[in-house]
Amino acid sequence: MRINRIRLQRFGCFDDLEVQFQPGINVIKGPNEAGKSTLHQALLLALLERPTKKKSTEPYRTWGQERWYRLDVEFVNDQDGPWILSKDFESSDQVLSDAQGNDLKGSDQVQAVVESALGTTSLGIFKSTVCVSQDALTDISAGRKEISQSLEQIVTGGDEDVRTESAVKALEERVREYRRGYLTHAPVNPGPIARLEVEQKHLSDTAKQFMARVEDRQRHLDEQRKAQDRLAEIEEEFGPRQALLARVEQSQSIKAELDKWTERERTLDSRLESIFKAEQAAEVAGHQLQELQPVSEATDEQIQLITRLHERVEVLSGEKERVLRYREEQRAKSAKGKRPARSAVVAPGLVTALGIVGVLFGFLALALSQNQAIGGTITALGLLVALVGMGWLFIAYSRSGRVPSTVAVPEIDPAQLTAAQNELNQKLAELQCADMEELDNQWRQVQTFRRLSDKAEAQLKGMIPEGKTKEELEEARRVASRKRRDAEEQLSAPELEQATSLDMIEVLKLQEEVSALQTERQDLENSLNRLAGKLEEPSVTREDLLRAEEQLAAVEAELERAKDRLAVYELALETMEAARSKTLKRAQDELAPRLGGYLQRLTLGRFSEVAVDGDLRIMVRHPNNTTDMVEPGLLSNGSQDQLYMAARLALVDLLFAETRPPIFLDDPFVKFDPQRRQAAIELCQQIAKDRQVLLFTCSDHYDQTGHLIELKGAT
Amino acid sequence: MVRILHTSDVQLDAPFGFLGGRGTDHRRQLRETFAKIVKLAGEQGYDLLLIAGDLFNDNRPARDTVNFVSRKLGELSIPVCILPGNHDCYDSDSVYRKHSFPANVHILTERPTYLEFEDLDLIVAGSPLISANDSRPPLQDIIRRDDRRWFVALAHGNLQIPGYIESDARPIAPDEIVACAADYVALGDWHAFADYSQGDVKAFYSGAPEPTALAQSGAGNVASVTLSDDGVEVKPIQVGSTSASTLAIDLSDLSEAEVIALIRAQADPSLMLSVSLTGLKGIDHLIDLEAVHEAVAADFYWVQVTDFSATALDNIDPAEYPETHVIGQYIRMMQEKIAESENEAERHRAEQALQIGFALLRGEEVLR
C-alpha cells in the first residue's frame, strides 16, 4: 500500500494543504510548529477515523473555523488503485472514489477497501505498530516503561494507553469484587453477590416467617370460624336440651314434692286412722269396763283380798274334803284285805322263775361245759334276772299293803270355813258377783279392757306428738293433700309432658348430653378466648407476605443477574488470559529471530542474539557476557532505543506482512550516534524498497535519504 | 331481553414478583377495577353478572379481600354467578367453602350445576374445577335442556385450536361449544378478550380486567352480552386502568441512546411494557441493559427490558483482527465458545463476554 497524496482543509494549522508522496522514503522535514505532527495525525485520521464530530477529533479543528475539517487522501494498493478517500468531518460524509471516478459511499464498502489496503481498520493497532514515535523511544530510554510492556501493548492491539494487561486487570478487579464474600472470605466488605445473598436470605427468612405467621393467622381464623360454627350448633343443640333438662329437674322436684306430700298424707292418714282406731278401742274398752262395773271399779287390792279369801275358803274346803276322803279310803282298804292282786304278781313271778332257771342252766353249763366263761356268764345273768323278779314281787306286795302313816290328819273347824265363806260371799256380793268364778271372769275381762284402754291411750299419746292435737294433725293432712293435688296438677301440665315421659335412662342420657355440651361449649369459649388473644396480637397480613415475596423475587432476579455477570466476567477473563498467552507465545516464536536480525543491523553487529519469553519480556545477550542474557535496562539508552526500534520493525513484519502499509517514523533516531543513525537510515532504505516510509524530522540529516517534503508551518 | 356482564380471571390477591415493588399497587388496582365492574353491572342495567373462574388468585386470599368482594357483590340487586376456576378451585379448602357470600351470589359447586333464574327466563350452567389440576373438559356434560328459556354456559379452560393450541388441561373443544347449544358461552382462563364463537353459538373470553403478567396485551376488558330475540350481541368494555404490551427492537444499527428513544416513544404511565431487544448486533455494540432500564423506568407503569439479541459473528473479518493480536485471538476463542454453547443462556453469556472483552481490549471503559 502506498499513499500518493493528501489534502488537508481547515485541519490544525493548515487551512488548505496538499502534500504529494513518493514510493520509498519520504522525509517530511520542518522546524518545530511546522505541522509535522499535524500532517502525521491528518494521515492517520484520513485513513482510519470515522468522519464524525467527537471529542477525539475535536482538537484538530482550525482555530476560528466554524466548519469542521475535510481530508482527502489518495492511495494505491498492490492490486488496485488509485483510490481517493474523502472524509468531511463537518457533514460526517466519507466517499471513496476509484480511478474512474466511481464513488463508494457505504461505510462498509469504504472500510473494506481501507482494510485491504492497510491490513486493519483499527487506528489503535495502526498507531501502536507502524507508527514509531520518538516519544515512545524516549519513554523507554528513560526507563518509564519496560520494552516488553510496550511490545505486549503492541501485540495486544491497543494504543499507547491501552493494553491487554489493563483489560485483564479490569476484569480481575471486577471478578474479585463479585466473588468477594461470595466465593472468598470477606465479612467486612462483601461484593454485590454476597450482599444480594445476605439480602436474599434476610428476605427469604422474612418471607418464611411471614408465611408461617400468615398461615398461623389463617389457621387461627379457620379455627375461630369452626369454633364459632360449632358453638352456634351447640347453642342450637344445647338450648332445647337444657330446657328439657330443666323441665326434667322441675318435674323431678315436683315429683319429689308430690312424693313428699303423698307420703305425708299417707302417714297422716294412717296416723289418724290409728288414732281413730285407738279412740274406738279406748271407747270400746271404756264401755266394757262400764259394763263390768262394779268389778271394773274395784281395785287390785280388793280383788287380791277376795282372792286370798277365796283361797282360804278353798284351802279350808280342801282340807275338809281331804280328811273326809282319807277316812273313806282307809275304810275301803280295810274292807279289801292284804294280798295284792294276782295280775300284779304274775309278771314278777315269771321273771324270778326265769332267773332261777338261768342260774340252774348256768350251773349246769359250768358242770358240763369245758368253757367256764359261758357257764359263769349264764349263771350271773340268771342270778340277776332272779333278783330283779324278786324285787318286783316285793314292790307289788308293798303297794298292796301300804298305809300313809306319815300324813297328819287335820282336824276341821267348820266355823272358820263358814266365816270365811260368808266373808267371801259378802265381798262377792259387793261386787255383784255370784261366785268367785264370775269374779275371776269379770276381773279378767276388766284387766283385758283396762289393758286395751291403756294401750289405746298409750297409742293415742304416741300418735299425737306432744303439743299437737288431733285437729292439728287433721289440718296437716288437709294441707298435705292439697299440696299433693297441687303437685299432681303441676306434673300434668303440657310443658312437662315430655320431661315426665322420660325414663331414668333417658334422663341420664340427657344429663350426659347436656353435660358434654356444656363442657364442649366451655372448651370452645376458652378456645375462642385464646384465639381472640392470638388474633389481637400484631399480625402480618397476606399483603405483607406478598410484598416480601415480591421483594425476594426481585432480589433473587438481581442475584441471578449478578451471578450471570460474574460468569460473563470470569469467562471473559479466562478467555482473555488464554488469548493473551497464545498470542504472546506466537509473537515470541516469531519475534525473536526477526528482532535479532534488525537489532544486529541497527547496532552494527554488537547485539544480535535476543530471547523473548512468554510475557514478551526481551532479553539480550550482552557482547561482554557470553553466557548470560541481560535485561534491556542494563543496556545504554541508545541501545535500548535501537532494541525498541528493532522490536517495532519486527512486529510490523509480523503483523502486516501482506499489506505492507507505510511506516511512520516520528524522528526516532535522535539519540542514535552517527554510525548507528546511518545504519538505521540504511535499514530504512532497505525497508523502503518494499514499502513506503514516512520519516518526520526536524533534522537535515535525512535530506538525501529520500523524497524530501519540507513543511513551513501554517498555510 | 337479558343483559349480562361477563368477566373472569380477576385474580385478586395475586403476587406480582415481576413487578418488584409495585406489586402492592397492582393488587390495589385489581380491587379497584373489580369494584368498577360491579358498579358497572349495578348501574348500567345489567340483569346478571357472570364470573367465569379465577376471581381469586388462590384459595387463601386475605380475609379483607373476601369481605371486600362479599360487600361489593352484596350491594348488587342482580344475581351473580361465580364459577370456581383453577386458581380458586372448589376443593376442600376452597375460599367458597370457607366463607359465606351474599344471597344473590350463586357459586357453581356441582359438576355440572344448572341454575334457573325464573325472573330472567334464563338457565345458567357450568362445571367448577374441583382442584388446581382438574383437567377435565369444562363443557363436558353441559347441554341445553329447555329451548324455551335462555341458556348460558360458563366454562373455565383452554379452547382447542388444532395445530395451534392443543392443551391437555381443561380443554374446550369447538365441537363441545356447538354441542352445548347455549345462547352464550362465557369463557374464562385466557386473559385477552376474544371471540371464539362456533356455529350459531356465541362464545367469548372476556379476558382479565387487568393484566396479571407482562405481555397480556388483550387484557383490560369485560364482555357486555345482550340476549334478545334479535340475537346475541357481545361487545368488549374497557375497564382496566393498566395495559400490557410488548415491543421488539432490532438492535442491529441502534445505539443505546436510540434504543432508549424507541422505548420512550411508547411512554405511558399505565402501560406494562415488555421490551425485547432482538437482531444481530455488532461485536462492538454493547448495550447496558441496566442503564436502558434506568433511563425509561419512570415513563411506564412497569417496563422490563430483555436482551434476546445475538452478536453478529459472521461479519467479523479475521484480517481486521489478526490472530497475531490478542484481540484477534480473543475473538476467535470466544467465537469457538459461542459455537460450542450447549444452551441459549450459555451462548448469551459467551456473547456478552465477547463484547465486554472486545470493548476492554479496545480501551473502552465498559466496566463502570
Side-chain angles (χ1 to χ4, degrees), chain A residues 254-272:
Chain A
I254 294 170
K255 272 183 184 171
E257 282 290 297
L258 175 63
D259 291 347
K260 185 179 88 178
W261 291 115
T262 302
E263 177 63 20
R264 175 95 171 138
E265 185 184 16
R266 191 185 60 73
T267 305
L268 287 169
D269 265 349
S270 174
R271 180 168 292 185
L272 286 169

Side-chain angles (χ1 to χ4, degrees), chain B residues 158-237:
Chain B
N158 296 297
L159 187 80
Q160 302 299 287
I161 303 174
Y164 180 56
I165 296 174
E166 293 172 352
S167 173
D168 291 336
R170 312 181 291 283
I172 300 172
D175 290 348
E176 287 177 325
I177 293 177
V178 175
C180 77
D183 295 299
Y184 178 68
V185 180
L187 298 170
D189 209 8
W190 289 5
H191 288 216
F193 180 89
D195 178 3
Y196 287 107
S197 300
Q198 304 291 329
D200 295 334
V201 180
K202 296 281 186 187
F204 281 76
Y205 279 103
S206 64
E210 293 284 354
T212 56
L214 287 171
Q216 287 183 350
S217 54
N221 299 291
V222 291
S224 173
V225 185
T226 305
L227 308 177
S228 72
D229 294 338
D230 297 332
V232 179
E233 184 190 358
V234 184
K235 60 180 181 182
I237 298 177

Side-chain angles (χ1 to χ4, degrees), chain A residues 184-468:
Chain A
T184 62
H185 183 66
V188 177
N189 185 22
I193 292 179
R195 284 199 300 274
L196 285 166
E197 282 192 326
V198 168
E199 195 175 352
Q200 180 205 27
K201 184 173 185 319
H202 169 70
L203 284 169
S204 175
D205 291 346
T206 303
K208 281 179 191 165
Q209 201 180 52
F210 281 10
M211 173 66 88
R213 290 178 65 181
V214 164
E215 284 182 349
D216 278 351
R217 184 173 177 79
Q218 188 63 43
R219 187 165 46 76
H220 292 151
L221 286 168
D222 288 346
E223 287 176 6
Q224 187 186 48
R225 179 176 54 80
K226 284 178 185 167
Q228 285 168 341
D229 291 349
R230 179 60 191 147
L231 200 56
E233 287 175 9
I234 285 175
E235 290 300 337
E236 278 187 15
E237 292 174 20
F238 184 73
R241 278 178 170 72
Q242 193 189 32
L244 179 58
L245 187 60
R247 286 196 292 275
V248 166
E249 287 169 352
Q250 185 188 356
S251 69
Q252 285 179 337
S253 171
I254 294 170
K255 272 183 184 171
E257 282 290 297
L258 175 63
D259 291 347
K260 185 179 88 178
W261 291 115
T262 302
E263 177 63 20
R264 175 95 171 138
E265 185 184 16
R266 191 185 60 73
T267 305
L268 287 169
D269 265 349
S270 174
R271 180 168 292 185
L272 286 169
E273 178 72 22
S274 299
I275 289 170
F276 177 70
K277 284 180 181 174
E279 282 177 342
Q280 275 190 327
E283 189 181 340
V284 167
H287 181 72
Q288 290 297 325
L289 286 172
Q290 201 170 11
E291 290 287 320
L292 288 170
Q293 283 181 348
V295 175
S296 63
E297 291 176 346
T299 64
D300 287 348
E301 287 76 20
Q302 279 181 293
I303 298 302
Q304 284 173 0
L305 181 62
I306 293 170
T307 303
R308 280 195 301 274
L309 192 57
H310 175 254
E311 285 173 354
R312 181 172 172 76
V313 168
E314 285 289 305
V315 168
L316 290 174
S317 297
E319 283 179 351
K320 179 184 174 184
E321 192 176 345
R322 190 161 53 90
V323 168
L324 289 176
R325 193 170 55 245
Y326 181 70
R327 285 174 181 169
E328 186 64 27
E329 285 173 359
Q330 287 299 319
R331 273 190 307 271
K333 281 179 182 179
S334 300
K336 287 181 178 179
K338 293 179 184 179
R339 288 179 65 87
R342 187 176 295 223
S343 59
V345 295
V346 171
L350 286 174
V351 172
T352 305
L354 184 61
I356 292 167
V357 171
V359 170
L360 290 175
F361 189 74
F363 285 145
L364 187 62
L366 284 171
L368 297 178
S369 177
Q370 295 290 328
N371 195 333
Q372 296 295 316
I374 296 172
T377 305
I378 296 171
T379 303
L381 286 171
L383 188 59
L384 182 63
V385 172
L387 287 172
V388 170
M390 284 189 285
W392 195 355
L393 279 175
F394 176 76
I395 292 168
Y397 275 103
S398 297
R399 281 185 181 172
S400 63
R402 189 178 57 188
V403 177
S405 58
T406 57
V407 177
V409 178
E411 291 295 324
I412 301 168
D413 183 359
Q416 281 185 342
L417 179 61
T418 304
Q421 188 69 51
N422 288 339
E423 190 181 355
L424 176 61
N425 288 338
Q426 185 188 351
K427 294 290 181 186
L428 289 170
E430 287 174 3
L431 296 175
Q432 297 177 0
C433 290
D435 53 21
M436 193 60 198
E437 186 180 354
E438 186 181 357
L439 176 63
D440 282 343
N441 189 29
Q442 285 193 14
W443 183 242
R444 277 194 301 276
Q445 288 183 38
V446 165
Q447 284 187 313
T448 300
F449 289 122
R450 276 187 181 170
R451 280 200 302 277
L452 288 172
S453 178
D454 290 346
K455 185 181 174 184
E457 288 298 328
Q459 281 178 334
L460 282 171
K461 195 175 179 183
M463 284 185 286
I464 299 174
E466 196 174 350
K468 295 279 184 183

